[in-house]
Amino acid sequence: MLIEKVYFAIDMSQSIVLFGPPGAGKGTQADAIVEATGKPQVSTGDMLRAALAAGTTLGLEAKKYMEAGELVPDDIIIGLIEERMQQDDASEGVLFDGFPRTIPQAEALAEIAEVSLVISIEVPDDAIVGRIVGRRMDPDTGDIYHVTFKPAPAEIAARLIQRKDDNEEAVRTRLTAYHNQTSPLAKWYEEKGLLATVNGNQAMADVGAEISAVLN
Ligand code: AMP
């Protein structure tokens, strides 16, 4: 009988998707992946927050969904990605962070860019609420801290801000959206042979080491 060997081939000229529930540490791990691969990070959450801060029509339209913790409609998100992927720095693939979040988004992405790897960071729900509610951001650098797990140095503590959707009610809605609309994507990508899972319920450095092992 012929035994067929299947290799997990990562084409580094293609895009990578970082996938996981809110508070899984995607942003932190994305920074390390950007450094390791040279790919630009494309975070739909960051793009929407920038649009909101700039007061664009798109930002204002997205605002009510974001603050409630609900997903922004697919057509808005797909439009943002189509535009972003036309920029020069996206030609060698990008690191998607927080996109796709629905099957229609993943189907649209398949038409726009080639994905060679999907890294799923798995964290149980009961670990997530505390992580998110204690999360704080340095608005000057974008660095993320946590009131208990990663306190900021005293000199910057005063300027830290909390995301509007990092409250318990919005987190529960975001988790529901994740389970209903986003988590089916894991199986979708697994069937395509693209999914690698890592344990996100451990120290950040250990999550990073698992991701490096996947990338190498
Ligand atoms: P994030 O920063 O990735 O946690 O995203 C913050 C919020 O932006 C989410 O709770 C959604 O309201 C919205 N959002 C970000 N990315 C997407 C996406 N791919 N699809 C739908 N909504 C999104």
Side-chain angles (χ1 to χ4, degrees):
M1 196 173 91
L2 253 183
I3 298 175
E4 211 181 337
K5 274 196 177 166
V6 180
Y7 292 96
F8 199 65
I10 303 174
D11 181 336
M12 289 312 272
S13 70
Q14 296 172 349
S15 291
I16 297 172
V17 171
L18 194 54
F19 178 81
K26 293 191 295 291
T28 305
Q29 300 304 334
D31 292 344
I33 300 173
V34 164
E35 203 167 308
T37 64
K39 291 185 190 300
Q41 176 184 3
V42 173
S43 156
T44 40
D46 286 349
M47 291 161 82
L48 292 168
R49 279 184 290 278
L52 187 54
T56 66
T57 315
L58 186 147
L60 294 176
E61 214 179 320
K63 183 177 181 204
K64 61 177 185 292
Y65 299 100
M66 295 172 74
E67 287 185 355
E70 290 164 13
L71 292 187
V72 172
D74 286 336
D75 54 342
I76 295 183
I77 300 290
I78 293 165
L80 267 180
I81 290 289
E82 276 171 344
E83 207 177 300
R84 178 66 184 85
M85 294 307 284
Q86 279 163 21
Q87 291 173 19
D88 288 347
D89 68 341
S91 62
E92 293 285 289
V94 304
L95 173 67
F96 291 109
D97 164 8
F99 171 86
R101 265 179 153 99
T102 64
I103 300 274
Q105 289 180 21
E107 285 170 345
L109 174 58
E111 304 287 318
I112 301 170
E114 291 235 45
V115 170
S116 58
L117 174 67
V118 178
I119 301 172
S120 169
I121 306 180
E122 298 190 331
V123 181
D125 280 9
D126 55 12
I128 285 174
V129 178
R131 279 189 187 202
I132 291 198
V133 173
R135 183 158 75 173
R136 299 290 182 275
M137 190 179 73
D138 180 346
D140 292 358
T141 62
D143 290 343
I144 303 291
Y145 296 94
H146 189 281
V147 290
T148 317
F149 307 134
K150 193 186 171 195
E155 63 274 21
I156 64 167
R159 67 168 186 251
L160 295 184
I161 56 167
Q162 183 175 27
R163 260 172 61 170
K164 263 203 162 146
D165 57 348
D166 277 356
N167 61 74
E168 184 156 352
E169 196 189 343
V171 173
R172 301 234 177 253
T173 310
R174 285 155 74 193
L175 273 174
T176 304
Y178 179 76
H179 289 301
N180 292 342
Q181 292 161 276
T182 306
S183 67
L185 278 176
K187 187 158 174 277
W188 198 83
Y189 278 121
E190 190 175 26
E191 283 167 4
K192 295 181 164 37
L194 295 175
L195 190 77
T197 53
V198 303
N199 172 15
N201 199 19
Q202 54 181 339
M204 262 179 321
D206 296 326
V207 182
E210 275 195 39
I211 292 178
S212 300
V214 170
L215 289 173
N216 294 321

